[in-house]
Amino acid sequence: MDFLFVLNNALGVALSPTTAAYALAAIGIGVHFGYAGLLNFGQAGFMAIGAYAFGITTLTLGFPFPLAFLSAVVASVVFALILGIPTLRLRADYLAIVTIASAEIVRYIVSTTGLSDVTGGASGLSAFAGSFQAMNPLPSGSYGFGPWTYSRAEFWVFLWGWGLVAIATVVVWLLMRSPWGRVVKGIREDEDAVRSLGKNVYAYKMQALVLGGVFGSLAGVIFILPRAIQPTNYATTLTFFTWTILLLGGAATVFGPIIGSMIFWVLLVLTEGVIGGLVRADIITFISTTQAGQIRFVLLGLALILLVVFRPQGIFGNKKELSFNV
Amino acid sequence: MLTRSRRPRRPPLQALLALGAGLLFAGLLGVAPAAAATAEPAPSASAPAEGTGFSVGGTIANGDEPVEGAEILVEGDGFSEVATTDDEGVWRVQVPAQGSYTSTLDVDTLPEGVEPRDPDNVMRTSNLNTTPNANVLFPMGESTIQGTSIWDTVLTRLIYGINFGLMLALAAIGISLIFGTTGLNNFAHGELLTFGALISFFLTAVLGWSIWAAIAVTLVASAAFGWFHDAAIFKPLRRRRVGLVQAMIVTIGLSIVLRYVFLMIFGGRTEFIQTGFNQVVPIGPANLQASSLISMGISVVVLAAVALFLTKTRIGKATRAVSDNAALAAASGIDVDRIIRIVWVLGATLTGLSGILYGVFRGVSWIMGFQILLLLFAAVTLGGLGSAFGALVGAIIIGLVTELSTLWLPADLRFATALIILILILLLRPQGILGRRERIG
Amino acid sequence: MSEPTVVTHPLVVGPVGPGCKKVDPIVIADGVVRRFGGNTAVHVDHVEVPRGKITALIGPNGAGKTTFFNLLTGFDKPNEGDWSFNGQNLGNVPAFKVARRGMVRTFQLTKSLGRLTVLQNMLLGATKQPGENVFTALFKPLWKSREEEITTRADDLLARFKLDAKREDYAASLSGGQRKLLEMARALMSEPELVMLDEPMAGVNPALTQSLLGHIKELKNDGTSVLFVEHDMHMVRHISDWVIVMAEGKVVAEGPPETVMDDQAVIDAYLGAHHDTDLGDMIEQKSVAERARRVEAKEASLADD
Ligand SMILES: Nc1ncnc2c1ncn2[C@@H]1O[C@H](COP(=O)(O)OP(=O)(O)OP(=O)(O)O)[C@@H](O)[C@H]1O
Ligand SMILES: [Mg+2]
């Protein structure tokens, strides 16, 4: 088995646009959960909204890239408002269930056959990145080096993906050191106390929901730029993976989501390569190659459990400012 | 939907395995978590076409009989080709490019006795601008809805809805009891359901046991599984004073672990648990399987027994006391840890039973519990978190909504409808139907 | 009221008695009723809180004091009734707006914001910080000067409440009594017109209690009105100008502290048969009895199904 190949893949994935997309989605729930204490289990819904808004406005309405991009933002704002109005008054655990339900509603609706003229139904949408690539100002050729070598088109997606991650990180950093961030963190601790001090808790929660939702939606756009839109991608599992990333890096930290996403992806690819390689080389004989792929997720689940129990602040989190209510 | 899905549908195992392997390979290239999600059984999506990448196709069947040799004319933008259905009723035409295509069914090529449901309308238009592969439907035979009066249909849906609701209730009460006594939202609860279904499938299909023996052993196994959950995971977490949100995320991790273990053992297939009670019993206009009736009977008896247990026995009352206020219950001499252990065992047993019933009517798969989990949460939330009786009411409502909504809405939206109802009701009653408001200050 | 003699008082228009009219009321409540299921927790026909004075709200456990606080401050909605603050009706005004109008409360069960520092807790109490708007927040120059002002005020209050040494600590690390102090100091950040303190002294050591009493009196001298709930009769007697007594949801007596404390109705209602029992015991007994009642009620309702 070729360890160099596996290693190369793993290093390559650390900077892939998909990793950027997951990081962006995790920054979004970082705003929701890490700072505002909102249990949003519907981030997959926001990602789906972004992806579909982008795909549908491009394919059905013929929007150029900037307009389609803007549509994704607007759609997620509208979705956050629709979601927030009934749920933000609810107790935290109700919010978790309602957000997860809303994300599933989105998924059911985009995959229903009745709407397949617009959404493509179960087969999803593809071939929508034309306008995006037409804007590509880069001269042709290949970019980067070693495991991080990209074609012109790939590099264009790379720049947008990591560019958006950088912008989101700066915005979150600016907000969280400000009085606005203080109010939002106060709400995470005890919303009644903050209310008693004259702050409109509902409005702040809504702002946090919208902000994190927009990040989720943009993550959805980045995620689909190099591939097609598949409705099955937006199942609850996707939300759970973004949560794992957030907790891996540390929920209330600035760089946590980025580092978390990189570690998550590198580990996934590494374990796949190593276990798969060992099975193919007949060193591990009690499982098949298919099962070798599945066992990664068993390990991932275990990692999530151990992390949450033994290092709840994440790898970079502040020990005192634990990410959970004690 | 019950009668239809009752019939074993066996997807070709190899195809599934191949699909799985393909997805895993995709994982290597960096799309794996998404691929993991796609491993959930996708609705019969059209197979990716070779060649141009664009195609129109479909499957024609009369009831469950595939229709062979039917001809379909596909036209559009100067292109025209006739497709013929194969022995599985499948047809597909490669088309040259994106665009709009019409498919017309040639009624004369249908076999004797097979007629389109709507003979005046055998032309369909598909738009290939948004998707490379379009599926076209030509339903055959009498529509079940047209043949019977609306009230008969409503009645049938109502009965199915109640049956489904009762099945949900068994599992939902499990969630509710655990939430009530520990405050934990258990995202791994669906896996308790899958566990029950898998054990029973193994006992009946692989070992050839009778259904009753299988049920008995499954319940014991489920109870042990619930005991294990508490003893190995949740009691130690309580000892460590792990917060509720943390514990909830632990259950998310646990759910992922269990699900993929199930997948490794069972594979991606869907199988049905055979009961042997296949007689049809007409109840008014609804033709029910004997197994549906037995299932409803079992659910009602078990639910009544749980109600009696909670209201009449000492342990049941203690359980409600712990749900009400654990600290106070502990202070008044109730062994809270023991009650929680009992609740885990009871909840897991009820959920295992629900899994068996689900496996009989809707099939056993590694993902079944996770798919149903949200409906369970919806039921519990609707009724008011932590209220066992609320969970029962909520489950029946969810069961009825999912079935009755198919009268007006496409069947693939019925779970969505149930979840929308959940959100609407919470708008009106944020604490759920039977829930209590929390105290402030 | 067995005495037919009419008592008057300079704060009051007409005779003194439950629900009497005040010369200059800051809060007026009328017909406020709150039921929890079959249990009527609050049923106040009429009550007025005098402006610029220290008013104590006393009554046995479960009398409805906290519930009444919740209703007045918009944290709970009554089944019936109106109330006003400074002549403005407060029915259906959300809690945060009530606070902004100058009526700020604390909670019986402290609500310190554990994973914020003590200083951040204090700064949250301030008003008119433009940086609390999500857009201005992005530009520090727009909120920096206000931040400095409120930090000065916060430091000042922290020093007064002996919390200055804890300034940079997480509030979660404070002791129970220190949290009470922090909550009170935080409520004062916005310079409210009326502070409503729900058992401010519970768990605060005697020496500090004395200095807190001093602060409360100072508040009064600055023109702030105070309404507080307290079980410590010495303290009530010591600092309050006016005492309102609640029992079983109703206002059963009110008057200046010297006379109210000796009122037979008050002794019956408040101290009753438990005159000598320790307060802790009473709480325990109350909650056990209440629990038994709730379980019975629940069973009754289950039996109905
Ligand atoms: N959210 C609620 N649900 C049901 N009953 C409640 C609720 N809040 C308060 N009660 C009931 O209302 C009554 C009054 O309670 P409240 O907390 O106002 O008493 P209190 O006067 O503040 O007592 P204490 O001096 O012990 O703090 C009690 O019988 C209590 O059980
Ligand atoms: Mg109180």
Side-chain angles (χ1 to χ4, degrees):
Chain A
M1 98 184 245
D2 189 348
F3 269 110
L4 279 181
F5 176 73
V6 169
L7 199 64
N8 198 50
N9 264 337
L11 290 176
V13 82
L15 291 185
S16 81
T18 305
T19 306
Y22 276 67
L24 197 53
I27 293 174
I29 30 172
V31 172
H32 290 153
F33 172 69
Y35 296 111
L38 300 172
L39 284 176
N40 171 22
F41 279 129
Q43 194 67 336
F46 280 102
M47 294 177 76
I49 291 282
Y52 274 91
F54 183 83
I56 291 171
T57 51
T58 305
L59 294 174
T60 311
L61 304 179
F63 280 15
F65 173 74
L67 269 185
F69 186 84
L70 202 65
S71 311
V73 173
V74 171
S76 62
V77 171
V78 172
F79 183 62
L81 293 177
I82 295 176
L83 193 62
I85 288 166
T87 53
L88 290 182
R89 294 186 202 280
L90 301 178
R91 240 169 56 189
D93 37 9
Y94 282 87
L95 181 69
I97 290 164
V98 173
T99 47
I100 205 174
S102 310
E104 285 289 274
I105 292 172
V106 169
R107 187 169 66 89
Y108 286 126
I109 289 179
V110 295
S111 26
T112 182
T113 28
L115 293 176
S116 42
D117 278 354
V118 182
T119 61
S123 27
L125 301 171
S126 56
F128 40 71
S131 164
F132 171 72
Q133 286 298 349
M135 275 176 44
N136 189 345
L138 302 168
S140 56
S142 84
Y143 294 82
F145 60 91
W148 304 289
T149 309
Y150 307 96
S151 72
R152 173 176 176 265
E154 283 168 348
F155 196 58
W156 187 225
V157 181
F158 173 95
L159 287 180
W160 273 83
W162 288 107
L164 285 174
V165 168
I167 293 173
T169 306
V170 171
V171 166
V172 170
W173 177 75
L174 284 174
L175 282 177
M176 292 312 158
R177 64 161 194 174
S178 77
W180 185 87
R182 188 163 65 212
V183 176
V184 162
K185 288 188 217 163
I187 291 171
R188 170 187 74 190
E189 300 301 304
D190 190 324
E191 60 175 79
D192 278 333
V194 176
R195 199 172 273 132
S196 78
L197 298 172
K199 317 292 177 213
N200 186 352
V201 168
Y202 188 65
Y204 281 100
K205 285 209 238 175
M206 191 64 97
Q207 290 162 6
L209 185 69
V210 168
L211 184 68
V214 168
F215 292 156
S217 164
L218 294 180
V221 175
I222 298 300
F223 180 68
I224 55 158
L225 279 177
R227 54 175 71 81
I229 302 180
Q230 279 287 327
T232 42
N233 280 349
Y234 301 97
T236 312
T237 319
L238 176 59
T239 300
F240 289 171
F241 287 143
T242 50
W243 271 82
T244 309
I245 287 172
L246 180 73
L247 297 172
L248 205 58
T253 57
V254 173
F255 293 107
I258 301 175
I259 311 279
S261 183
M262 290 179 174
I263 296 179
F264 177 86
W265 279 100
V266 169
L267 283 184
L268 264 188
V269 173
L270 213 56
T271 44
E272 155 69 10
V274 171
I275 301 176
L278 292 176
V279 171
R280 274 187 296 275
D282 285 333
I283 299 172
I284 296 180
T285 47
F286 54 91
I287 53 172
S288 67
T289 37
T290 317
Q291 287 169 323
Q294 294 157 356
I295 210 166
R296 290 182 308 159
F297 293 98
V298 176
L299 296 177
L300 186 116
L302 275 178
L304 180 59
I305 294 175
L306 296 177
L307 192 71
V308 158
V309 174
F310 297 104
R311 207 176 159 81
Q313 73 272 34
I315 295 176
F316 293 95
N318 179 339
K319 261 190 192 157
K320 276 197 206 150
E321 192 172 352
L322 288 182
S323 35
F324 299 96
N325 288 314
V326 258
Chain B
M1 289 287 91
L2 279 185
T3 41
R4 176 113 52 93
S5 47
R6 196 33 220 83
R7 214 151 277 150
R9 266 179 296 138
R10 285 170 215 263
L13 204 62
Q14 283 155 326
L16 271 174
L17 286 177
L19 180 72
L23 289 173
L24 290 163
F25 184 65
L28 198 79
L29 301 175
V31 284
T38 54
E40 294 177 18
S44 58
S46 44
E50 298 139 40
T52 63
F54 298 100
S55 74
V56 177
T59 306
I60 300 184
N62 185 26
D64 287 302
E65 274 305 305
V67 174
E68 189 181 353
E71 291 181 2
I72 297 98
L73 173 65
V74 178
E75 288 174 305
D77 211 15
F79 166 86
S80 152
E81 193 176 318
V82 174
T84 313
T85 55
D86 64 12
D87 56 354
E88 287 179 345
V90 176
W91 61 278
R92 182 156 296 278
V93 175
Q94 303 298 319
V95 294
Q98 289 191 329
S100 183
Y101 294 87
T102 58
S103 312
T104 316
L105 173 68
D106 186 348
V107 179
D108 298 338
T109 58
L110 292 173
E112 198 76 12
V114 177
E115 280 195 35
R117 188 174 299 167
D118 187 358
D120 300 330
N121 182 9
V122 290
M123 195 169 100
R124 303 278 186 275
T125 307
S126 10
N127 182 347
L128 287 191
N129 289 320
T130 53
T131 163
N133 305 298
N135 267 340
V136 177
L137 293 178
F138 292 109
M140 297 292 129
E142 287 290 296
S143 152
T144 41
I145 296 189
Q146 279 167 3
T148 48
S149 88
I150 177 76
W151 291 115
D152 291 351
T153 323
V154 170
L155 187 70
T156 314
R157 292 280 142 230
L158 209 66
I159 295 177
Y160 288 157
I162 291 175
N163 190 11
F164 186 42
L166 288 169
M167 204 147 63
L168 286 178
L170 290 170
I173 286 183
I175 289 200
S176 180
L177 285 173
I178 292 168
F179 177 83
T181 46
T182 61
L184 178 72
N185 278 307
N186 181 13
F187 278 85
H189 200 84
E191 279 57 55
L192 292 171
L193 190 132
T194 313
F195 179 81
L198 287 177
I199 297 280
S200 241
F201 175 77
F202 174 76
L203 295 177
T204 51
V206 180
L207 300 187
W209 289 21
S210 86
I211 184 74
W212 298 113
I215 290 178
V217 172
T218 304
L219 293 187
V220 173
S222 295
F225 198 42
W227 184 90
F228 177 79
H229 267 71
D230 191 45
I233 304 172
F234 293 101
K235 188 171 177 194
L237 288 187
R238 287 198 298 279
R239 278 271 159 77
R240 282 180 64 99
R241 301 189 163 278
V242 164
L244 281 178
V245 171
Q246 241 168 310
M248 184 165 84
I249 295 169
V250 168
T251 67
I252 290 177
L254 181 65
S255 146
I256 298 177
V257 171
L258 289 175
R259 228 176 319 139
Y260 281 90
V261 168
F262 293 153
L263 175 62
M264 287 176 68
I265 298 169
F266 190 68
R269 61 206 163 123
T270 301
E271 300 276 6
F272 285 79
I273 297 174
Q274 302 298 340
T275 58
F277 307 112
N278 295 332
Q279 308 83 326
V280 171
V281 186
I283 302 225
N287 281 327
L288 292 185
Q289 301 271 343
S291 49
S292 298
L293 288 177
I294 296 174
S295 152
M296 280 198 257
I298 293 179
S299 307
V300 169
V301 169
V302 171
L303 289 170
V306 172
L308 280 179
F309 168 77
L310 286 178
T311 50
K312 296 284 180 261
T313 64
R314 272 185 68 84
I315 296 179
K317 284 184 188 171
T319 306
R320 289 192 302 143
V322 174
S323 301
D324 220 35
N325 183 338
L328 203 57
S332 40
I334 294 174
D335 181 350
V336 173
D337 263 335
R338 184 169 150 258
I339 295 294
I340 292 177
R341 181 64 52 84
I342 292 173
V343 161
W344 267 102
V345 169
L346 177 67
T349 314
L350 290 174
T351 310
L353 176 63
S354 175
I356 304 175
L357 300 179
Y358 200 85
V360 169
F361 296 104
R362 292 170 186 227
V364 182
S365 72
W366 67 286
I367 196 91
M368 62 189 284
F370 193 61
Q371 283 172 333
I372 204 179
L373 179 71
L374 257 192
L375 292 187
L376 297 179
F377 274 139
V380 171
T381 315
L382 258 187
L385 286 180
S387 152
F389 295 89
L392 173 62
V393 175
I396 304 275
I397 293 178
I398 294 288
L400 286 175
V401 169
T402 46
E403 287 300 327
L404 289 176
S405 71
T406 58
L407 292 173
W408 302 279
L409 291 170
D412 57 2
L413 282 182
R414 62 190 201 283
F415 287 172
T417 321
L419 298 177
I420 289 173
I421 295 286
L422 164 73
I423 294 177
L424 290 182
I425 293 191
L426 286 179
L427 256 176
L428 302 174
R429 259 189 86 79
Q431 70 273 45
I433 295 172
L434 296 185
R436 268 205 324 263
R437 272 167 188 272
E438 266 186 314
R439 186 192 154 100
I440 312 160
Chain C
M1 301 281 120
S2 50
E3 304 268 316
T5 45
V6 173
V7 187
T8 58
H9 187 273
L11 283 177
V12 172
V13 184
V16 171
C20 59
K21 289 215 176 342
K22 305 294 173 336
V23 177
D24 184 12
I26 187 164
V27 171
I28 306 178
D30 253 315
V32 177
V33 177
R34 178 67 168 108
R35 294 184 205 93
F36 293 109
N39 169 18
T40 305
V42 167
H43 188 161
V44 170
D45 287 329
H46 186 88
V47 77
E48 299 187 359
V49 178
R51 182 189 307 275
K53 302 288 167 201
I54 300 177
T55 308
L57 179 63
I58 64 170
N61 292 126
K65 305 179 296 291
T66 298
T67 309
F68 191 51
F69 258 45
N70 289 345
L71 294 171
L72 290 182
T73 50
F75 277 86
D76 195 2
K77 297 239 176 311
N79 300 84
E80 300 161 27
D82 309 302
W83 65 105
S84 63
F85 172 67
N86 269 339
Q88 290 172 308
N89 193 338
L90 284 188
N92 286 324
V93 175
F96 79 93
K97 284 195 181 154
V98 172
R100 281 193 195 167
R101 290 191 187 180
M103 183 166 155
V104 176
R105 67 162 309 170
T106 65
F107 294 88
Q108 178 172 6
L109 303 171
T110 44
K111 293 186 182 297
S112 55
L113 308 168
R115 282 176 292 160
L116 296 190
T117 64
V118 168
L119 180 64
Q120 285 175 323
N121 264 273
M122 294 295 290
L123 297 179
L124 255 186
T127 50
K128 302 196 192 76
Q129 167 50 283
E132 286 178 3
N133 175 297
V134 64
F135 298 110
T136 18
L138 292 169
F139 308 100
K140 192 166 180 185
L142 296 179
W143 48 262
K144 192 161 166 264
S145 65
R146 177 67 183 154
E147 192 78 348
E148 281 160 8
E149 281 166 36
I150 60 180
T151 308
T152 316
R153 177 166 171 80
D155 281 330
D156 189 42
L157 279 167
L158 285 178
R160 262 206 260 165
F161 283 78
K162 307 258 182 304
L163 286 171
D164 39 353
K166 297 274 178 190
R167 191 176 186 265
E168 299 301 334
D169 291 1
Y170 282 105
S173 70
L174 297 185
S175 75
Q178 286 171 328
R179 288 179 202 198
K180 280 253 151 193
L181 295 177
L182 174 60
E183 195 171 326
M184 201 164 141
R186 195 175 63 192
L188 297 179
M189 277 296 287
S190 65
E191 305 180 44
E193 263 186 80
L194 170 66
V195 263
M196 302 177 52
L197 308 169
D198 200 346
E199 305 200 10
M201 301 300 163
V204 177
N205 69 46
L208 201 50
T209 305
Q210 280 311 317
S211 82
L212 276 181
L213 291 183
H215 294 319
I216 295 181
K217 281 188 181 163
E218 254 173 57
L219 279 177
K220 184 175 83 168
N221 296 339
D222 298 345
T224 309
S225 315
V226 180
L227 176 66
F228 72 105
V229 173
E230 191 50 73
H231 285 296
D232 178 347
M233 287 309 131
H234 296 293
M235 172 176 166
V236 171
R237 208 183 281 273
H238 187 62
I239 64 162
S240 54
D241 302 305
W242 195 255
V243 178
I244 299 173
V245 186
M246 281 183 79
E248 295 176 355
K250 298 195 176 58
V251 173
V252 292
E254 59 177 298
E258 318 72 65
T259 49
V260 159
M261 308 292 233
D262 302 330
D263 188 320
Q264 193 55 44
V266 176
I267 296 174
D268 286 350
Y270 196 34
L271 305 169
H274 305 288
H275 205 137
D276 300 320
T277 19
D278 183 54
L279 266 179
D281 285 350
M282 278 171 66
I283 294 170
E284 202 71 317
Q285 282 169 13
K286 185 205 93 179
S287 37
V288 169
E290 187 188 304
R291 210 198 105 57
R293 208 170 58 229
R294 268 209 259 162
V295 167
E296 265 165 32
K298 221 176 179 184
E299 269 169 8
S301 76
L302 293 174
D304 291 344
D305 298 342

